[in-house]
Amino acid sequence: MKWIRRIAIAALAVLVLAGGAALWKREEIGRLMAVNSLFAPDRIVANFSNMDEAFLSTPISTGPGTPLPRGPEVALPEGAEDWIADRAVTGLVVLHDGAITHESYHLGTTKDDLRISWSVAKSFLSLLTGILVEEGALSLDDPVTRHVPALGGTAYGGATVEDVLQMESGVTFDEDYFDRDSDINRMGRTVALGGALDDFTAALTGTNRMPGGEMRYVSIDTHVIGMVLRGATGRSIPDLLDEHLMGPLGIGASYYVTDGEGVAFVLGGLNMTTRDYAKMGAMVERGGRVGDLQVVPEAWIDASTVPSANTAPGGMRYGYQWWMPRDARPGEIMAQGVYGQFVYIDRISDVVIAVNGADLGFRGDGVSAGNIEMFRRIAAAQG
């Protein structure tokens, strides 16, 4: 009978929808579980090489990339092997005069692993910002609301592009990675559950200082930079990065972790090989050039990599999404991320050190100073 057939079809449709919902929920739960075990001691190394298995992601560059030249092998300084073990270093690439003088991989990783950048990604976004400023898509004095009207009436309502580049937006945001209920971890769960980071950002209304005041490191400011660049160009960050940086740098396979809307997690979701992180450092070390090609305006390299933010006395100093040691030497710059990710650049000595790691003790007393000291010793050993 027709009515029996209709009931059967309706029941089948319900089962299909229920099955689809169950599959979606299973994937969502899986991502949430991945967040909760991301830094587990027995899983952190593998997780950091396979972020696309735990989170939504989108490719940036898919080509083979270009090789880095090799120079004479230079021995690491005394104590480096202990440092590698103590800091759970997974990849170490050293360049001198643009050529590899040391390359090693540890804890079961290889040269082909696409390692998570964490906040090293912020420095990539700074470079892209400089290119787009040079092209006239935006200026540092622009209110962020000029390019992202949705942020009007939020904590970012009075901030400029320069304010967010220097982490001086004034937003109230808890960056404690070890507090499950901190804002940074709530944001991580938003990504895991397929939420929208733009909505998460627009819901932030609290401020604790005026824009342009004291620098306080809050990663959500970098997401706002990404929102501004998307608003100013009408394009996605992966597309912009591939065109303006990945291609000219010769970076091979790479991808971003994304939220549920496909928006790149620009504040820390970049993944590529350790060699390719070194390529970025080499370009910055050469004043924004790759061979005869000016990839990033030299004026932006010079302006963005000097202490310009209102950092607290006695601590690390900050520019436009770049770090400098508190006792920084001329030309000494760092991109750095949690758990031991670094691109250290010594422009005077023509040395770049790219490091990936899985360092659960990265916040320990003296660890940061010890890392900088080791980078300086490795640089000095290059001659």
Side-chain angles (χ1 to χ4, degrees):
M1 293 184 171
K2 290 183 178 179
W3 66 271
I4 295 177
R5 186 183 309 158
R6 288 172 183 166
I7 291 173
I9 291 172
L12 179 60
V14 169
L15 287 172
V16 169
L17 289 172
L23 176 61
W24 174 81
K25 186 62 67 176
R26 185 166 70 246
E27 291 175 350
E28 182 183 75
I29 292 171
R31 290 196 298 270
L32 185 59
M33 290 177 64
V35 168
N36 290 335
S37 63
L38 194 60
F39 311 115
D42 61 334
R43 300 181 67 176
I44 185 171
V45 173
N47 286 343
F48 282 14
S49 289
N50 299 282
M51 296 294 285
D52 56 339
E53 295 181 4
F55 297 92
L56 299 172
S57 64
T58 189
I60 307 170
S61 174
T62 57
T66 57
L68 282 164
R70 286 195 170 271
E73 183 78 14
V74 176
L76 295 175
E78 184 179 354
E81 295 300 330
D82 289 340
W83 171 77
I84 287 170
D86 292 343
R87 302 275 57 86
V89 170
T90 54
L92 174 62
V93 174
V94 181
L95 308 182
H96 185 219
D97 295 331
I100 296 174
T101 61
H102 174 86
E103 182 176 23
S104 61
Y105 298 92
H106 311 272
L107 300 177
T109 65
T110 74
K111 63 181 178 60
D112 298 318
D113 283 27
L114 304 185
R115 297 291 293 180
I116 182 71
S117 65
W118 297 122
S119 289
V120 168
K122 293 179 169 71
S123 299
F124 277 84
L125 199 66
S126 172
L127 297 171
L128 180 59
T129 301
I131 293 170
L132 297 177
V133 167
E134 175 74 9
E135 290 184 348
L138 71 158
S139 75
L140 296 184
D141 295 330
D142 287 348
V144 298
T145 52
R146 176 172 298 175
H147 304 287
V148 193
L151 292 180
T154 74
Y156 288 95
T160 67
V161 173
E162 186 170 45
D163 291 334
V164 290
L165 279 167
Q166 295 174 316
M167 300 283 187
E168 295 173 358
S169 66
V171 66
T172 299
F173 191 86
D174 183 358
E175 189 89 1
D176 187 349
Y177 302 101
F178 295 97
D179 179 354
R180 186 183 182 281
D181 295 320
S182 68
D183 292 314
I184 192 73
N185 285 325
R186 287 196 305 110
M187 182 182 66
R189 290 192 291 275
T190 296
V191 174
L193 295 175
L197 285 175
D198 287 356
D199 292 344
F200 179 92
T201 306
L204 298 172
T205 58
T207 59
N208 50 34
R209 63 207 187 283
M210 294 295 294
E214 178 187 355
M215 178 267 187
R216 295 185 188 173
Y217 188 84
V218 288
S219 289
I220 200 66
D221 278 4
T222 308
H223 182 74
V224 172
I225 298 170
M227 295 176 76
V228 167
L229 300 188
R230 286 186 277 124
T233 63
R235 297 176 61 189
S236 74
I237 300 301
D239 284 348
L240 289 166
L241 205 67
D242 190 29
E243 175 186 341
H244 291 292
L245 283 173
M246 302 306 197
L249 286 173
I251 287 176
S254 55
Y255 67 90
Y256 267 118
V257 168
T258 73
D259 68 6
E261 302 294 321
V263 172
F265 189 54
V266 295
L267 58 90
L270 188 61
N271 297 258
M272 63 180 67
T273 68
T274 309
R275 286 180 180 177
D276 284 340
Y277 289 117
K279 289 176 186 175
M280 180 273 273
M283 183 268 292
V284 172
E285 191 278 323
R286 299 286 173 90
R289 298 182 71 84
V290 175
D292 295 329
L293 178 64
Q294 190 73 47
V295 178
V296 179
E298 186 171 11
W300 181 264
I301 298 293
D302 292 341
S304 63
T305 59
V306 295
S308 59
N310 297 313
T311 52
M316 293 274 286
R317 297 189 282 178
Y318 204 66
Y320 295 162
Q321 307 283 291
W322 286 94
W323 289 100
M324 299 100 226
R326 61 183 177 82
D327 59 342
R329 301 168 180 178
E332 192 176 33
I333 314 154
M334 293 171 58
Q336 65 176 7
V338 292
Y339 298 95
Q341 326 313 316
F342 297 95
V343 177
Y344 171 89
I345 302 164
D346 182 340
R347 296 184 69 185
I348 302 301
S349 300
D350 199 358
V351 172
V352 172
I353 303 169
V355 180
N356 283 118
D359 183 10
L360 289 166
F362 73 97
R363 288 209 315 186
D365 291 342
V367 170
S368 178
N371 288 333
I372 293 168
E373 176 60 26
M374 181 52 66
F375 297 153
R376 288 171 173 173
R377 292 178 60 198
I378 292 172
Q382 304 306 302

